[in-house]
Amino acid sequence: MSDDTTASTTPSAADGLRDRRTVLRCAAMVALAGAGAPILAACGGSDTSGSGSTGGTSTGTSPSATGSAPSASASSGGGGGTVLGPVSDVPVGGGKVFTDAKVVVTQPTAGTYKGFSAVCTHQGNPIGSVEGGQIVCPFHNSHFSITDGSVVSGPAPSPLPAVKVKVEGSNIVESA
């Protein structure tokens, strides 16, 4: 048997390095792709909760707003709605984001409560806070009116959809 035959069946050191580099490069690509998926999901353009929204207008002077919202995960109240939280959490001239329910409730004037989707109409990111009389999305700095959900400053292209809310006892309740 000659040395040439043995050399041709044994992989060279360069081949081993090339294979190892390929495996490491592929592992790095998979790790990067996996880490980037949540980031890309956060920039999605729509809410995938499966429920749409319908608009409506408020009539009368009762402390409520109209519309439809994504389903909430909070406990149900005795009056047939989902309890979002206590009335005391929603200051006059401000509001509170109920993250689990994806609802923001505002109180533009004393005793008048308005509900809106807490999903920004720009790219579907969650609303972050209510500051200075405006609903704020921290991702791209869209601002919305606490009175009607209209866009105060963009890049959001449309107002926040209304959500029906009402006061039951000392709680804010999302109603159907």
Side-chain angles (χ1 to χ4, degrees), residues 141-154:
N141 207 27
S142 289
H143 289 234
F144 303 88
S145 167
I146 64 170
T147 304
D148 60 6
S150 62
V151 178
V152 174
S153 63

Side-chain angles (χ1 to χ4, degrees), residues 84-86 89-91 94-99 103-107 129-130:
L84 298 173
D89 281 358
V90 184
K96 172 153 175 72
V97 179
F98 295 96
T99 308
V103 174
V104 59
V105 177
T106 64
Q107 188 178 182
S129 62
V130 180

Side-chain angles (χ1 to χ4, degrees), residues 11-25:
S12 69
D15 289 340
L17 287 176
R18 191 173 318 122
D19 289 341
R20 183 167 186 251
R21 285 184 189 141
T22 302
V23 169
L24 291 174
R25 188 177 301 125

Side-chain angles (χ1 to χ4, degrees), residues 73-99:
S73 60
S75 61
S76 292
T82 303
V83 175
L84 298 173
V87 172
S88 59
D89 281 358
V90 184
V92 175
K96 172 153 175 72
V97 179
F98 295 96
T99 308

Side-chain angles (χ1 to χ4, degrees), residues 6-114:
T6 306
S8 65
T9 59
T10 306
S12 69
D15 289 340
L17 287 176
R18 191 173 318 122
D19 289 341
R20 183 167 186 251
R21 285 184 189 141
T22 302
V23 169
L24 291 174
R25 188 177 301 125
C26 288
M29 298 287 280
V30 168
L32 287 174
I39 294 168
L40 292 175
C43 292
S46 66
D47 178 18
T48 59
S49 65
S51 60
S53 61
T54 58
T57 58
S58 181
T59 58
T61 58
S62 67
S64 66
T66 60
S68 176
S71 47
S73 60
S75 61
S76 292
T82 303
V83 175
L84 298 173
V87 172
S88 59
D89 281 358
V90 184
V92 175
K96 172 153 175 72
V97 179
F98 295 96
T99 308
D100 290 343
K102 296 182 183 175
V103 174
V104 59
V105 177
T106 64
Q107 188 178 182
T109 59
T112 302
Y113 296 87
K114 302 284 186 166

Side-chain angles (χ1 to χ4, degrees), residues 112-140:
T112 302
Y113 296 87
K114 302 284 186 166
F116 305 100
S117 169
V119 178
C120 184
T121 58
H122 175 230
Q123 289 189 340
N125 294 309
I127 294 297
S129 62
V130 180
E131 301 172 11
Q134 295 181 351
I135 302 166
V136 181
C137 178
F139 290 88
H140 300 103

